[in-house]
Amino acid sequence: MRSKVVTIDRHIIDQERSYPDASGRFSALLYDIALAAKIISREVNMAGLIDVLGLTGETNVQGERVRKLDAFSQEVMVKAMDHAGHLCCMVSEECEDIIPIPERFDIGNYVLLFDPLDGSSNIDVNVSIGTIFSIHHRVLDGRSKRNSPGTMADCLQPGFRQVAAGYVIYGSSTMLVYTTGVQGGVHGFTLDPSIGEFLLSHRNIRIPDPPAKVYSVNEAYYARWSRQQQRLVDHFKGVNGERGGGYKSRYIGSLVSDFHRTLLQGGIFMYPPDSKAPRGKLRVLYEAAPLALVCEAAGGRASNGSRDILDIVPGGLHDRTPLFVGSASLVNLAEQYLELPDESAGQGSES
Ligand code: AHG
Ligand code: MN
Ligand code: MN
């Protein structure tokens, strides 16, 4: 017997019922994100056909200037989200500063932070890419009043205060995965393009632990890592005297894809600091924190190597952080290796 068909709209309404004081605004915000995801998905899946690939600078069949997909995705997110009166501002990887709500639109009490297209270097080679989003309630502490434009204080909040977070993965199918936090669980919806609906396909996702023995990291940077980080990966490989071993290595180079595999199969994804990027590469507000909320809500963990990602209060909109995310047992193991004092970790890293 096929399980009942549940659209994301129906699911959001059902979830809203379990939060008696929930305003419909939050649900409407999630609908709009799902709409933006459908539009971006169509463009991503057409990319190879209408020359939207890369920065060719040529005009496409409609005579429009060809724009990079991440510029397109940025525009779709802003245009889909700026007019419905739910937001006081937005933050995007593609914009240096806070994106204000145009004066002609009502101002709401939520903040949307997003990476409109993650993994964009993979667009031209047809590797899965994604959109990552994070939603906070604005900080109404007297300084910023209702109906006033969003401020930095509304944006620079720790991840544990997120009211929702999730991602869209544009892969062999387009999936939207979101959580409203540990109580709400993590749910995945697969787009049926023939009816333009996201249908519930993965109810209450739990990250496997014990996990699949998979580690995911860009080993090209091995020589730039700390000795502790090198020993951790040596453990996964069972080399240089580290017992471990028996792990598979998987690295796609598209965070959403590497994270999605880790969430469904278990394992650990790492983007460590290195001698060239001492704070790592990934951004707190619209990459690490939203994925950390999803992972923790699915029973996993997310750390910067010594503390929970969700406790980090970023100093700036584009602050970076090291990221160790996945099955709790492997993130705990990573922290144990990383906190070894230098002398017991062996000689310093080559740099
Ligand atoms: P973005 O395309 O949004 O800039 O993100 C790219 C990120 C992330 O998707 C991925 O995990 C990481 O870059 C890969 O970096 P390396 O090429 O250094 O491994
Ligand atoms: Mn990204
Ligand atoms: Mn991006």
Side-chain angles (χ1 to χ4, degrees):
M1 171 67 173
R2 275 168 60 89
S3 56
K4 61 185 168 108
V5 174
V6 178
T7 64
I8 191 167
D9 297 6
R10 163 59 46 214
H11 186 268
I12 291 169
I13 291 168
D14 292 347
Q15 283 247 316
E16 187 184 305
R17 286 208 186 99
S18 42
Y19 295 94
D21 56 348
S23 74
R25 283 198 172 285
F26 173 62
S27 305
L29 185 52
L30 280 173
Y31 300 155
D32 290 346
I33 290 174
L35 171 64
K38 292 178 198 171
I39 297 169
I40 295 170
S41 174
R42 183 196 57 194
E43 203 72 7
V44 165
N45 292 330
M46 299 271 282
L49 304 175
I50 57 172
D51 266 350
V52 181
L53 290 180
L55 255 182
T56 60
E58 295 156 359
T59 57
N60 63 19
V61 288
Q62 290 85 0
E64 300 159 15
R65 251 190 60 67
V66 175
R67 295 165 300 161
K68 267 177 80 170
L69 261 179
D70 37 17
F72 172 83
S73 307
Q74 162 69 12
E75 204 169 307
V76 166
M77 287 294 282
V78 172
K79 291 244 181 313
M81 309 306 295
D82 68 357
H83 56 277
H86 314 311
L87 301 174
C88 62
C89 67
M90 290 184 251
V91 171
S92 166
E93 177 199 70
E94 301 296 326
C95 290
E96 197 50 42
D97 302 315
I98 291 177
I99 302 169
I101 300 304
E103 282 182 14
R104 61 188 182 283
F105 299 137
D106 291 343
I107 286 186
N109 288 319
Y110 291 102
V111 182
L112 174 69
L113 307 101
F114 59 93
D115 177 355
L117 207 70
D118 171 73
S120 35
S121 59
N122 292 302
I123 292 172
D124 296 4
V125 293
N126 213 6
V127 168
S128 298
I129 49 186
T131 297
I132 309 171
F133 61 91
S134 165
I135 302 172
H136 278 284
H137 198 284
R138 77 177 306 174
V139 178
L140 287 171
D141 59 358
R143 274 178 298 165
S144 63
K145 296 183 299 306
R146 285 185 186 285
N147 304 327
S148 63
T151 65
M152 267 301 181
D154 294 318
C155 302
L156 299 178
Q157 297 189 59
F160 68 82
R161 284 215 205 109
Q162 291 174 98
V163 293
Y167 60 89
V168 186
I169 180 166
Y170 311 103
S172 47
S173 65
T174 292
M175 261 190 79
L176 188 152
V177 176
Y178 89 95
T179 183
T180 54
V182 178
Q183 301 80 358
V186 178
H187 307 285
F189 301 82
T190 299
L191 181 63
D192 177 341
S194 66
I195 56 172
E197 287 284 5
F198 276 107
L199 304 180
L200 182 61
S201 53
H202 296 67
R203 184 191 298 275
N204 201 21
I205 298 172
R206 303 295 293 166
I207 189 168
D209 206 349
K213 294 183 80 172
V214 176
Y215 73 94
S216 181
V217 68
N218 188 336
E219 297 201 45
Y221 307 143
Y222 184 92
R224 302 197 317 226
W225 292 339
S226 70
R227 187 65 197 107
Q228 292 83 345
Q229 179 66 42
Q230 291 173 341
R231 283 194 55 193
L232 170 63
V233 172
D234 290 346
H235 167 83
F236 290 135
K237 299 165 79 160
V239 298
N240 299 339
E242 297 293 340
R243 288 189 306 286
Y247 283 75
K248 285 195 184 77
S249 167
R250 290 283 183 276
Y251 191 73
I252 302 168
S254 166
L255 172 61
V256 170
S257 308
D258 281 316
F259 176 79
H260 187 65
R261 180 201 58 247
T262 304
L263 181 71
L264 295 188
Q265 289 181 352
I268 184 170
F269 170 84
M270 299 176 276
Y271 205 105
D274 64 46
S275 52
K276 287 217 173 83
R279 310 260 317 253
K281 173 182 185 180
L282 302 174
R283 280 55 59 109
V284 176
L285 282 177
Y286 43 77
E287 289 175 318
L291 298 185
L293 191 76
V294 171
C295 192
E296 302 250 348
R301 275 206 64 207
S303 165
N304 69 354
S306 59
R307 63 186 292 223
D308 286 349
I309 290 286
L310 293 181
D311 290 339
I312 296 175
V313 181
L317 298 180
H318 305 286
D319 273 15
R320 299 173 191 268
T321 175
L323 177 63
F324 298 82
V325 61
S327 303
S329 59
L330 294 181
V331 176
N332 295 339
L333 178 72
E335 287 185 333
Q336 287 158 25
Y337 266 89
L338 295 172
E339 64 193 16
L340 286 173
D342 278 350
E343 51 283 2
S344 65
Q347 76 281 7
S349 64
E350 303 156 54
S351 45

